[in-house]
Structure formats: structure tokens, C-alpha cells
Amino acid sequence: MKRKTALLLFLLFCMFSLTGCKRYDPIMDLTEEGQGRENGDGTMGRSSEASGEGLTEGEALEAGQIKNRPESAREDGIIRISSKPGRNRVKVKGIYLSANTAGSSARMDEIIRYIDATELNTVVIDVKDDFGNVTFKMDSPVVNEIDAVKAYIGDMEALAKKLKEHNIYMIARIPAFRDPYLAEKKPEWCLKRSDGSIYKDNKGQAWVDPYKREVWEYLVEIGKKAGEVGFDEIQFDYVRFCTERGMDDVVFDDADTNGMDKPQIITEFIQYAYEELTGEGLFVSADVFGTIISSPTDAQTVGQVYGEMAANLDFICPMIYPSHYGNGNFGVDYPDTKPYETILGALEGSRRELKKFEAEGKKLATVRPWLQDFTASYLEHHIVYGDAEVRAQIQAVYDAGYDEWILWSAANRYHYGALLTPEEAKAQSAAMEESRAPLEQQP
């Protein structure tokens, strides 16, 4: 009998020991309202109570009050992920990498060598590509349900580890509402014409409906899983409505729209994604059309109001490639042929537009533009882009008063000769801070 009792106690001990260290333990919710935006002093979230209670999770992590956060947990169906203590800001100087490139060990080793030797410190990697494929294996309900994984990146955790060993900041690119794969698997979530047929753009690809909250949840689900494997920031692309021919025939369900126009629903999605993802220790950014900065018509068409989006993000990333502007913009006959003047004109417009929202007392995102590192040979009036053209754009960013930038090359072939060494970049940064100091002190 004693032997049986001892055996029973031993089994009970083992059972409780195992349940106490399971992978999906719930995470303590430290605030009633959740995570807020970054405060002006660099701390995270809303102000704490006088007693010190009510800290956001990021603040508690920074203060060392949470020692061990589980890698992943679910609470009432909500995905929770791990994150580093706090959110550590980096002045991003980055390049875009496709999943194919990121999945190649040889190419990544080569790219990391270039990053180590230059001022680069960031990579933007496709976590979901333009066709809707999720690019590495993840344990996510809807992703698994529709079999969305196409594992171009065979071992994302190993890649993240390697990037972190080289102090490289990681941004997860997630195309939002252009997603032909999701539209195929969940046709009830996609854009439809008045006759009930699925709307497709000029390339024959379907888009999902930005008014569908189920789509929002799917995107955030992928973002959280990206954070779980080591990404620092979630960047949404195609966070807009399609603008191509035939959109006038697309109908939206009144129950979904709830009286909101396109900019209102895009802004609401950004607010939702921001709250969900910053609550897990991630930064949030979004790519936007460069033309919305100065064109209310374009803003209404795509659903992106520059200042409103900037008020609900950590970083806003206008795609201001010179090749994307029509003849005569910014007083330049052929913008692609004048990279410095075009970038400077676009970012001066950005500063003017955001001042309107600053006047309303809104805290705005950091502006981090996408720059052109490709030759637009399809244009009648174009030039070949090389080291000088890339560097001219970077200089225009600095001359406009901004500090961050990302280079775009769909083929991931970059002009590394345009970039400074880490030592040169540090000296340049110090010189810029000194030259800007008197301007910042002016009323």
C-alpha cells in the first residue's frame, strides 16, 4: 500500500512539474487598456500609476519585473508571442530581400558581409509575398487551415539567429490586401463585383476586402508569428484599396462598411494592427504611395491619408522612387533623371503635410522613405541608376531633415559602392546632428 501511495505521489509530482513549464503558458496582462504608443521620452505605453503599478508589458520587461516570458501562448484564442525587453529603436538604413534570397545561405552570407562592411543595419524580408504565400513554416490557425506556407526560407529561426549575431535589425514585410492566394481560399473575404463575380486586377490577381475584420486578424496573426521567430518590426505593404480599372463595379457589404469610407477603414485597420502588435513588443510600419502626400484625390482613391496613417504608426514609409512620378513633378521635367531633386521635393512635401497634423497635437510616425536602386528602362526618359544616383537620393533624405531610408531592388542587386563604411557613417551622423542643433532650437 505504501509503495502504491509513493508511486501515486511521484506521478502527481511529475504531472504538475510538466504543466508548469509548458510552451503555451498564458502571459500576464499587466494593464487594463493594453499597450499604448511610445511616449515622448522614449518609454513605452501610457503613463504608470503613482504606485508604479499599471506598467505596460514593455515597461515591465525593461524594468526587469518579468523575468521569463513564454515563447508563445494563447489566451482565449488570442496569439501571444515572445519579445525582447522593450522596443529598441534603430535608425534604419536597410535593403529589401525577397524570400528566395533570404532562403539562400550562400546569398545571405554574401549580403551579411556587405552589411558588416557598410552603413547598412537592416533587412526587410518577405514573410508573406505578393502572391499570398507565407514564406516560412509557422504554427498559425488560418495559415494552416488554408495551407498558405510555401517555405522558401527553410529555417527562419536559424537565419534570425545569424542576423542578430551581426546586430542586424529585422523587418517583416507583409502585403496586406493584395493577396490572391487568400482570396482563392477564402472567396467570402475578397473583392466582388455587383454580379457576384470575383474582382481581379490587370494582372489577373484578386484582392481581399479591407472592410473584412477576418482579414485583419489573419494579417496580425502572421505578424505575431514573425515576431515570435525574431523580427523586430512588422511592415505592411499594399495596405490600401486596389486602384485599377473595374473597381467602380466592386460592391461592399453595408454590414462591413458601417458607413466608413476608404481612408477611415484603412486608418482603423492600422489602429487595430498597431495595438495588437505593439502589445507584443513589435514596431509597426506601413508602406504608402508617395503621391498621397500632396494629392487628396489619390489619398481618397487608395484609402491612405498620409497624416492620419502617420498618427497611428511607429514608421511611415513613402515609396518615393523618382521613376514613379510623372513629368513635371516638383518642377522637374523628367523626375527619374533627377534623383536628388525628386527625393528632396517629395520629402519637403512630406514635412509640409505632417506639420498640419502636428499642429493638431498628434504624435506622428518617423518618416522612413523607400529609395530607388533600379533602372526604370521602361520609361522614355530615364537614366541608369548606379552608385552616384543612389547616394544622391540618400543625401536628399538627410538634406530634407530625415535620417532613415530603405533601398528597393526587386532583384536584390544593390549598389553597395554608394554606401559609407560604418566609421564614415558615424562621422557623418555626428556632423549632421551638430549642423541641425541650431535649427531645432529655433521657435
Side-chain angles (χ1 to χ4, degrees):
M1 184 68 178
K2 288 181 179 179
R3 214 176 268 178
K4 287 184 179 179
T5 302
L7 179 60
L8 178 60
L9 289 171
F10 176 76
L11 291 172
L12 287 170
F13 173 79
C14 291
M15 181 178 72
F16 285 115
S17 297
L18 287 170
T19 54
C21 62
K22 63 184 179 180
R23 181 178 174 85
Y24 294 106
D25 282 337
I27 288 176
M28 185 187 305
D29 186 7
L30 298 176
T31 62
E32 292 182 2
E33 296 180 74
Q35 179 103 0
R37 292 186 60 83
E38 191 169 37
N39 298 324
D41 60 2
T43 59
M44 283 301 305
R46 299 174 177 83
S47 300
S48 304
E49 300 295 332
S51 64
E53 296 176 355
L55 293 175
T56 66
E57 195 159 39
E59 288 170 331
L61 281 162
E62 284 182 332
Q65 294 181 16
I66 300 178
K67 301 297 183 184
N68 296 300
R69 181 172 177 172
E71 290 185 6
S72 179
R74 289 188 190 175
E75 202 172 87
D76 299 328
I78 300 173
I79 296 174
R80 303 290 189 191
I81 65 171
S82 63
S83 67
K84 295 182 297 186
R87 301 195 304 163
N88 302 314
R89 280 187 175 260
V90 170
K91 284 188 178 180
V92 162
K93 299 177 180 183
I95 54 175
Y96 159 74
L97 302 177
S98 69
N100 271 325
T101 295
S104 167
S105 295
R107 286 208 68 187
M108 286 308 300
D109 286 345
E110 179 187 22
I111 287 167
I112 288 171
R113 284 195 295 272
Y114 278 120
I115 292 174
D116 287 344
T118 67
E119 61 192 308
L120 292 173
N121 59 13
T122 299
V123 291
V124 181
I125 297 175
D126 280 340
V127 166
K128 184 163 76 75
D129 67 18
D130 289 352
F131 302 102
N133 302 306
V134 174
T135 62
F136 61 87
K137 188 177 180 180
M138 59 176 65
D139 180 20
S140 174
V142 179
V143 170
N144 292 339
E145 177 193 340
I146 66 174
D147 195 23
V149 172
K150 195 167 184 178
Y152 296 105
I153 306 171
D155 192 340
M156 188 65 239
E157 291 185 359
L159 174 59
K161 183 175 182 293
K162 181 186 291 187
L163 292 170
K164 292 305 175 187
E165 286 171 352
H166 290 262
N167 297 314
I168 298 172
Y169 185 79
M170 295 170 58
I171 301 177
R173 177 177 176 263
I174 300 178
F177 302 120
R178 180 185 176 183
D179 191 329
Y181 187 82
L182 180 61
E184 175 190 340
K185 295 296 181 179
K186 293 282 188 180
E188 66 274 21
W189 294 357
C190 73
L191 297 182
K192 293 181 181 176
R193 300 176 185 273
S194 54
D195 62 4
S197 63
I198 293 174
Y199 169 81
K200 294 185 178 180
D201 63 21
N202 295 338
K203 294 182 179 178
Q205 296 183 347
W207 289 58
V208 290
D209 185 348
Y211 285 105
K212 297 289 185 183
R213 268 59 173 185
E214 297 91 341
V215 176
W216 299 9
E217 293 167 4
Y218 176 67
L219 295 170
V220 166
E221 187 177 294
I222 294 171
K224 289 182 178 182
K225 287 299 177 178
E228 187 174 287
V229 297
F231 283 92
D232 303 285
E233 177 179 328
I234 307 304
Q235 181 184 88
F236 293 107
D237 200 357
Y238 289 95
V239 56
R240 61 177 178 85
F241 285 79
C242 181
T243 60
E244 295 180 8
R245 186 183 307 169
M247 275 297 292
D248 289 344
D249 195 33
V250 170
V251 294
F252 300 98
D253 191 329
D254 289 343
D256 294 328
T257 62
N258 199 27
M260 288 186 286
D261 63 14
K262 290 178 180 180
Q264 286 173 323
I265 201 63
I266 293 297
T267 299
E268 188 162 309
F269 163 71
I270 290 295
Q271 291 171 338
Y272 166 80
Y274 184 88
E275 182 177 349
E276 288 289 320
L277 294 169
T278 57
E280 299 299 333
L282 296 164
F283 287 108
V284 182
S285 59
D287 302 333
V288 299
F289 273 166
T291 57
I292 69 165
I293 294 172
S294 56
S295 171
T297 301
D298 287 351
Q300 184 65 40
T301 301
V302 302
Q304 296 177 339
V305 175
Y306 194 58
E308 290 294 345
M309 293 188 72
N312 293 283
L313 291 164
D314 292 306
F315 305 95
I316 190 163
C317 306
M319 298 175 286
I320 52 174
Y321 314 121
S323 61
H324 282 29
Y325 288 98
N327 298 342
N329 268 276
F330 315 116
V332 178
D333 288 342
Y334 309 116
D336 187 68
T337 68
K338 299 288 184 181
Y340 175 86
E341 292 83 354
T342 301
I343 297 299
L344 185 64
L347 290 179
E348 286 177 341
S350 165
R351 188 169 293 283
R352 286 193 299 271
E353 182 65 16
L354 293 182
K355 277 188 178 298
K356 302 174 187 176
F357 293 86
E358 287 173 350
E360 298 174 9
K362 294 182 178 180
K363 183 184 183 303
L364 301 177
T366 297
V367 175
R368 182 203 291 152
W370 280 98
L371 306 179
Q372 178 173 326
D373 196 353
F374 59 89
T375 295
S377 55
Y378 50 86
L379 294 177
E380 180 183 0
H381 300 283
H382 72 276
I383 60 173
V384 175
Y385 272 58
D387 292 349
E389 290 71 25
V390 171
R391 193 70 216 174
Q393 293 175 85
I394 293 172
Q395 189 59 50
V397 173
Y398 298 151
D399 290 349
Y402 296 117
D403 298 304
E404 303 187 32
W405 43 265
I406 315 174
L407 303 180
W408 175 271
S409 163
N412 301 166
R413 291 193 292 267
Y414 294 99
H415 289 90
Y416 296 105
L419 307 175
L420 304 181
T421 65
E423 295 74 22
E424 290 169 339
K426 186 175 180 181
Q428 183 188 51
S429 179
M432 285 195 304
E433 287 183 14
E434 186 177 350
S435 67
R436 289 175 182 175
L439 297 175
E440 292 173 356
Q441 293 171 4
Q442 291 179 5

